[in-house]
Amino acid sequence: MRSIWNGAISFGLVSIPIKLVNATESHSISFRQIHTEDNGRIRYRKVCELEDREVTQSEIGKGYEDADGTIIPITDEDLSHLPIPTARTIEIVAFVPADRIDPLQMDAAYYLAASGAPAAKPYTLLREALKRSHKVAIAKYALRGRERLGMLRVVGDAIAMHGLLWPDEVRAPEGVAPDVDVTVRDKELDLADALMDTLGEVELDDLHDEYREALEEVIAAKAAGETPPEAPEPAAAGKVLDLMAALEKSVRAARESRGEEPAATEEAEVRPLAGRRSTPKETGGKKSTATTAKKTAAKKTTAGKKSTAKSAQSAKKTAAAKATSKSTAKTPAKKTTAKKTTAKKTASRKRTA
């Protein structure tokens, strides 16, 4: 890797010669400006506004524009005599726990490569000291015309440095958070926790830039004289949904994507908030209507079956009651007839006697 800065790490009285190399690289696709009529490149030329002519790079220097428009020339020699110790030195000023560093301060990342054999011993000493202390080093250094703040930490067997913004360069988050009172229920938090647990962790190496890949496909198709692939339909935006239903649906979708069985809970529907008319897109269109019709028909069928069953039971009870009534009515009649017959027989016996 090509070094972009040479200097030394100042670690107390220890000096470690190092080279600064970029730890990151950009894979983004860049475009050139062209003339749309003939595809000619559009170029910017550096022209002196006083002489109205193009100048070469060797004729270009630095200058500071004062408030009244006066230009004050600044040469490389002027900058080389700046009264700061970090002109060619990464000066470690403190060691602090890593969680003391606000991620908002993080800037560009670099590797610090040992410069030559004499740097091997002190370089390894600093690396092992950082490992054992579980701390990071805060340092000051000068790069590209200004003094900067940095954080040194161990990455594998190397020492990496993250450029840090100065504390006064980080804005306070005033006016960013919602300025209305919102109540979050425990059940909503429970569902949010369940969604977080279901999504779980991810291997960062598995993530990739899908936009760049799609852009490469477009470029390849145009270069081959083919029609670029069509973009998928954009997802519907701007919906105001029931938060609870949306959370429940998200948890189910996350579990299904991981091949897990859905929880044995009643399925919730995502429905618009009250006071807002539903559109076919929000309700799922014909499919949603058909589903509703099926549910309604099922309810009616079930209600009909229950009604029929009740009617049958009622009819049976009525028939049984009638049968009992007839039986009861016949029994006294039989008993009366029997009494009359006995009376006749008795009278006949008396006459015979």
Side-chain angles (χ1 to χ4, degrees):
M1 290 184 281
R2 185 175 63 87
S3 64
I4 61 172
W5 184 90
N6 294 328
I9 300 174
S10 175
F11 177 31
L13 297 177
V14 178
S15 180
I16 311 171
I18 55 96
K19 296 178 180 179
L20 197 69
V21 297
N22 284 315
T24 62
E25 58 186 4
S26 174
H27 292 164
S28 62
I29 297 174
S30 59
F31 296 101
R32 302 290 188 184
Q33 289 187 325
I34 62 170
H35 186 202
T36 55
E37 292 186 3
D38 55 16
N39 291 345
R41 283 278 305 279
I42 302 297
R43 298 182 181 275
Y44 294 95
R45 302 184 185 279
K46 297 179 180 180
V47 176
C48 175
E49 63 179 15
L50 297 179
E51 298 182 13
D52 193 21
R53 70 176 181 87
E54 187 176 353
V55 296
T56 62
Q57 186 62 39
S58 61
E59 299 177 88
I60 298 174
K62 299 181 182 69
Y64 175 79
E65 186 175 2
D66 207 350
D68 60 358
T70 303
I71 299 296
I72 303 172
I74 301 295
T75 65
D76 291 338
E77 186 178 358
D78 294 331
L79 296 176
S80 66
H81 290 87
L82 288 176
I84 56 175
T86 56
R88 283 290 170 187
T89 304
I90 298 174
E91 182 184 9
I92 295 177
V93 296
F95 292 88
V96 301
D99 57 9
R100 285 271 305 276
I101 305 301
D102 189 338
L104 284 174
Q105 288 184 256
M106 295 283 188
D107 201 359
Y110 307 95
Y111 287 129
L112 304 181
S115 182
K121 179 75 176 203
Y123 185 98
T124 304
L125 171 65
L126 176 59
R127 182 190 66 200
E128 296 305 313
L130 288 171
K131 277 186 182 179
R132 191 167 71 172
S133 67
H134 300 291
K135 292 183 178 181
V136 296
I138 302 301
K140 295 169 70 176
Y141 65 102
L143 180 65
R144 298 190 178 106
R146 71 186 192 95
E147 189 174 54
R148 302 166 187 261
L149 196 62
M151 178 191 77
L152 277 63
R153 69 184 184 96
V154 178
V155 177
D157 290 331
I159 299 175
M161 181 173 71
H162 295 269
L164 299 178
L165 299 176
W166 294 99
D168 60 358
E169 292 180 315
V170 179
R171 293 179 176 178
E174 295 177 359
V176 177
D179 58 355
V180 295
D181 292 333
V182 177
T183 301
V184 179
R185 294 177 294 169
D186 288 340
K187 189 172 182 182
E188 292 170 336
L189 283 173
D190 292 341
L191 280 171
D193 289 340
L195 178 57
M196 292 168 64
D197 292 338
T198 303
L199 290 176
E201 298 182 358
V202 65
E203 289 292 336
L204 294 181
D205 291 339
D206 295 337
L207 301 179
H208 57 279
D209 187 349
E210 296 182 10
Y211 177 83
R212 177 174 59 86
E213 292 175 355
L215 192 56
E216 288 173 346
E217 290 182 9
V218 171
I219 294 172
K222 297 265 301 186
E226 301 173 355
T227 303
E230 294 185 2
E233 290 293 329
K239 290 184 180 179
V240 180
L241 300 176
D242 183 339
L243 180 59
M244 285 292 294
L247 284 169
E248 290 172 357
K249 189 173 182 180
S250 299
V251 171
R252 287 197 306 275
R255 284 174 176 161
E256 290 173 1
S257 68
R258 294 166 64 91
E260 298 178 5
E261 291 294 330
T265 57
E266 185 178 354
E267 184 173 354
E269 295 180 12
V270 178
R271 53 190 182 279
L273 294 177
R276 187 172 181 270
R277 292 184 64 186
S278 301
T279 62
K281 286 185 178 179
E282 291 171 346
T283 56
K286 295 180 180 179
K287 185 176 180 181
S288 180
T289 305
T291 303
T292 306
K294 286 181 181 178
K295 288 183 178 179
T296 304
K299 287 181 179 178
K300 287 181 178 179
T301 303
T302 304
K305 288 181 179 178
K306 288 182 178 179
S307 177
T308 303
K310 286 183 178 179
S311 299
Q313 289 178 358
S314 178
K316 286 181 180 178
K317 287 181 179 179
T318 304
K322 287 182 179 180
T324 305
S325 177
K326 286 180 180 180
S327 175
T328 306
K330 287 179 180 179
T331 302
K334 287 181 180 179
K335 288 182 178 179
T336 304
T337 305
K339 284 180 179 181
K340 287 181 179 181
T341 304
T342 306
K344 285 181 180 181
K345 286 181 179 181
T346 305
S348 177
R349 287 174 184 173
K350 285 181 179 181
R351 286 175 187 171
T352 304

